[in-house]
Amino acid sequence: MNMRNFLPLAWLAAIVLATGCGKPKSSTTGWKINDTKNGGFMANLKFKGQMTGPGLVFIEGGTFTMGRVEEDVIKDWNNIPRQVTVSSFYMDEHEVTNLAYREYLYWLERVFDLEYFPEIYRSALPDTLVWRDKLAYNEALVENYLRYPAYNFYPVVGVNWEQAMKYCAWRTDRVNEMILIEKGVFYPLNDQRDADHFDTEVYLYLSGEYTQQNKKGLKDYRPNSPYGKEGRPVTIEDGILLPKYRLPTEAEWEYAAYGNIGNRQFDRLYEGNKFTWAGNSMRTSEGKSRGDMLGNFKRGRGDNMGLGGWLNDQADITMQVKFYPPNDFGLYDMEGNVAEWVLDVYRPLSFEDLTDFRPFRGNEFTTFDKDYQGAGELTVLQEPQVDQNGKIVRLPGQLPVRPVTEQENLNRRNYQYSDYRDYLDGDVESSIYYSKDVPSGEEPMYDYNKTTLIGNTIRVVKGASWKDRQYWVSPGTRRFMEQTVATDWIGFRCAMDRLGMQNDLKRKKTSKKPKRQKFRPYRMSK
């Protein structure tokens, strides 16, 4: 057995031997743990590791060369190679589909009163007009792509970066709510309306808000629940609730797309992928898939799908997810279908500034606003929280947040301000000569949209789409787009942090030689 896999098992065995059949004792104080009659300190000593959330695939992290690995045809010089390390994480097996996004829309329409909060539902709607072209006929897609069942399992498009982020937040709450229901902590309620709906942050910080749902009907619904007898809320220490769903960082997306596993000698990678093809099915002459296009991208001008009788990728626009073979991590459509939003703010020379461990540009540190509307204590929002431009940033039923202040961080060395999206990139505001006393607007950070297309609301887009040539299939390539813009070729998938041990002892090895894929309707997991 691999020694690194054996150590945690040996550690658990030692605890069992030391504690015997009775309550375990603290090695620090000698007091019993998990004994309500003896101190009452509770800890999950039988934790077996983070559960994999619905739709996610475990990605074991590691070191890789991020950036250009082939000729920079565009000559942007915006992806300078650099060795970085990515921690293990989880990523969606495939892109978010129309069906999944419609489930989100349905929930918004059901929970928030359309007459009282019309903008909540409307602001989440994908822009179906992205399919229109001045010199092409695409009205059938405008009218049908999002909702017609033939496109149920096609990737959703027309969603901007901000909408994708809100979808991730919604998914976090729905997944954690279902976990609590299945554990017998919650009684399922269908009458959640407006501010009265489940929110993970509210549950963790204001558990009293859910006292009734913790106790209501639990004796009949889950008579053996360890939580139902007392109505005790679950805490972070229990290890039941999952971390947040979010967009992957650029480094995570690129690392996952390469799928460079197996091609190593000791700790050296000897044959790295330049593209994302699954195993050896396209790099060699082996297998029936020789010569086939194993991703959905454009072969050349005017060639979106090949000849009648031999369609090269069998798709005119997007294609249903999981149609083409996965890469070696078990991820589908990392080499086409739609390009994808990632978390990062775009800078041409990001790789010169970023750290080499979990690199990311885009941090905006916030804290809960205890004094929101003069409340004086933590409370949930009853009305949507909007920014200075009138956009909804927090929904009713969520906790209000605000940027951290410099005054709060005077004694910190790792950060002082809230917004680090433009840190060290050469603009006036981040320089040592910038004065915070200068009135806002007199020293513009960027002359955005006049002399440059780069600003703090420009996000990185990764991967190729059905509209792109093979150059963009290489994971090292990168593009950018304003975070409020939606297109017919950009979609997204979610990611999640891996907490604790970086390898997954239960993970099954993925096949390195996937079989030729035949067209079949998408099958939902049971």
Side-chain angles (χ1 to χ4, degrees):
M1 178 184 292
N2 189 313
M3 195 62 183
R4 67 175 182 174
N5 295 345
F6 175 76
L7 288 176
L9 299 179
W11 181 79
L12 288 174
I15 290 181
V16 174
L17 292 174
T19 58
C21 298
K23 298 288 185 182
K25 291 184 178 181
S26 167
S27 61
T28 305
T29 63
W31 283 70
K32 290 183 178 180
I33 300 175
N34 297 331
D35 187 349
T36 56
K37 298 179 181 179
N38 189 12
F41 174 67
M42 310 296 288
N44 184 357
L45 300 179
K46 297 181 179 180
F47 184 68
K48 297 181 180 180
Q50 182 178 338
M51 180 178 68
T52 301
L56 298 176
V57 172
F58 176 74
I59 309 295
E60 188 174 53
T63 298
F64 82 111
T65 299
M66 182 179 179
R68 186 174 65 252
V69 295
E70 60 173 0
E71 183 182 0
D72 186 4
V73 177
I74 307 300
K75 304 301 180 185
D76 279 343
W77 304 106
N78 68 345
N79 55 348
I80 302 170
R82 183 177 183 185
Q83 182 170 278
V84 300
T85 295
V86 172
S87 298
S88 296
F89 64 103
Y90 298 88
M91 181 179 276
D92 270 341
E93 185 179 28
H94 55 73
E95 295 140 340
V96 174
T97 63
N98 287 317
L99 182 69
Y101 201 85
R102 292 206 313 269
E103 182 182 0
Y104 166 53
L105 295 175
Y106 171 81
W107 185 89
L108 291 177
E109 187 176 14
R110 177 176 65 85
V111 170
F112 297 108
D113 190 332
L114 283 179
E115 293 185 2
Y116 196 61
F117 299 120
E119 287 306 312
I120 292 178
Y121 177 77
R122 292 174 186 170
S123 64
L125 286 171
D127 181 6
T128 58
L129 299 182
V130 295
W131 289 109
R132 284 183 172 169
D133 190 299
K134 293 184 287 294
L135 295 175
Y137 177 73
N138 291 331
E139 290 305 298
L141 296 173
V142 172
E143 298 167 1
N144 297 289
Y145 183 80
L146 176 63
R147 301 185 184 276
Y148 192 70
Y151 296 110
N152 273 346
F153 302 107
Y154 282 55
V156 67
V157 296
V159 175
N160 63 40
W161 184 89
E162 294 177 355
Q163 291 173 316
M165 290 287 286
K166 291 176 182 178
Y167 173 90
C168 293
W170 166 83
R171 187 174 172 186
T172 300
D173 295 335
R174 303 289 69 74
V175 168
N176 279 330
E177 183 179 18
M178 181 50 64
I179 289 174
L180 294 178
I181 291 173
E182 291 177 344
K183 292 290 184 181
V185 183
F186 260 17
Y187 186 78
L189 297 178
N190 293 321
D191 58 348
Q192 301 181 46
R193 299 288 295 177
D194 298 333
D196 184 24
H197 63 83
F198 178 82
D199 180 270
T200 303
E201 290 179 338
V202 174
Y203 182 80
L204 290 174
Y205 290 92
L206 295 175
S207 58
E209 296 282 334
Y210 296 96
T211 301
Q212 283 301 112
Q213 196 168 352
N214 281 335
K215 294 180 178 180
K216 182 180 178 181
L218 281 176
K219 291 182 179 180
D220 297 328
Y221 183 64
R222 290 284 192 275
N224 298 320
S225 169
Y227 305 95
K229 297 176 183 178
E230 305 172 1
R232 178 178 77 80
V234 169
T235 64
I236 294 177
E237 290 89 341
D238 291 312
I240 292 176
L241 296 178
L242 289 177
K244 297 177 181 178
Y245 282 82
R246 56 173 174 80
L247 292 179
T249 66
E250 180 179 5
E252 288 172 338
W253 193 99
E254 189 170 324
Y255 175 83
Y258 279 123
N260 279 322
I261 58 176
N263 299 328
R264 67 175 181 85
Q265 287 183 338
F266 302 103
D267 64 346
R268 297 286 184 178
L269 183 71
Y270 66 83
E271 187 183 358
N273 294 332
K274 289 186 177 181
F275 297 99
T276 65
W277 315 122
N280 295 321
S281 60
M282 192 168 182
R283 290 183 302 211
T284 71
S285 60
E286 299 177 8
K288 295 181 180 180
S289 56
R290 176 185 177 185
D292 286 354
M293 292 185 68
L294 302 183
N296 181 16
F297 55 92
K298 196 167 185 173
R299 194 170 223 176
R301 184 172 183 178
D303 184 0
N304 275 41
M305 54 194 293
L307 299 173
W310 187 259
L311 301 182
N312 51 47
D313 63 18
Q314 304 185 57
D316 57 342
I317 49 168
T318 55
M319 172 54 95
Q320 66 174 16
V321 297
K322 299 181 71 172
F323 178 76
Y324 307 100
N327 72 359
D328 285 350
F329 276 128
L331 301 172
Y332 292 86
D333 295 315
M334 299 297 284
E335 63 282 309
N337 222 5
V338 290
E340 299 176 20
W341 291 111
V342 294
L343 204 57
D344 293 60
V345 169
Y346 176 82
R347 290 294 186 272
L349 299 179
S350 284
F351 298 169
E352 292 187 354
D353 300 326
L354 299 180
T355 60
D356 59 5
F357 176 63
R358 300 175 64 120
F360 168 68
R361 178 183 288 280
N363 281 314
E364 294 181 85
F365 301 122
T366 60
T367 186
F368 297 125
D369 189 357
K370 297 182 180 180
D371 299 320
Y372 183 76
Q373 294 182 342
E377 60 183 8
L378 282 178
T379 184
V380 299
L381 295 169
Q382 299 300 317
E383 301 283 340
Q385 187 179 20
V386 298
D387 61 16
Q388 57 185 3
N389 298 318
K391 291 183 178 179
I392 298 174
V393 293
R394 305 285 286 181
L395 298 176
Q398 295 181 324
L399 290 175
V401 298
R402 61 168 176 78
V404 298
T405 64
E406 186 177 352
Q407 187 68 25
E408 293 172 323
N409 301 311
L410 289 178
N411 295 324
R412 290 192 177 276
R413 292 190 176 187
N414 52 335
Y415 73 96
Q416 284 77 40
Y417 312 121
S418 170
D419 190 349
Y420 281 89
R421 290 174 295 177
D422 59 357
Y423 182 63
L424 293 180
D425 68 354
D427 61 282
V428 176
E429 186 172 353
S430 64
S431 72
I432 60 175
Y433 304 106
Y434 177 76
S435 172
K436 294 291 183 181
D437 298 328
V438 176
S440 176
E442 291 193 12
E443 287 193 20
M445 182 176 55
Y446 293 103
D447 199 7
Y448 174 63
N449 217 20
K450 294 181 180 178
T451 60
T452 180
L453 293 177
I454 298 173
N456 283 348
T457 56
I458 304 299
R459 301 290 171 171
V460 177
V461 176
K462 297 290 284 185
S465 76
W466 62 275
K467 271 189 169 182
D468 293 314
R469 310 293 177 87
Q470 184 172 338
Y471 170 77
W472 296 106
V473 174
S474 178
T477 57
R478 58 201 301 254
R479 288 175 280 187
F480 59 90
M481 187 74 68
E482 171 67 50
Q483 67 184 35
T484 58
V485 172
T487 74
D488 61 353
W489 56 273
I490 299 179
F492 70 102
R493 72 179 75 206
C494 302
M496 179 185 289
D497 292 304
R498 166 74 171 189
L499 306 180
M501 185 168 291
Q502 293 296 289
N503 60 344
D504 187 357
L505 302 182
K506 298 180 180 180
R507 177 171 57 85
K508 296 180 180 180
K509 294 182 179 180
T510 57
S511 173
K512 291 188 177 181
K513 295 182 179 180
K515 296 181 180 179
R516 178 181 173 87
Q517 302 293 302
K518 296 181 180 180
F519 180 83
R520 63 190 186 281
Y522 179 93
R523 294 181 181 178
M524 297 187 67
S525 58
K526 295 181 180 180

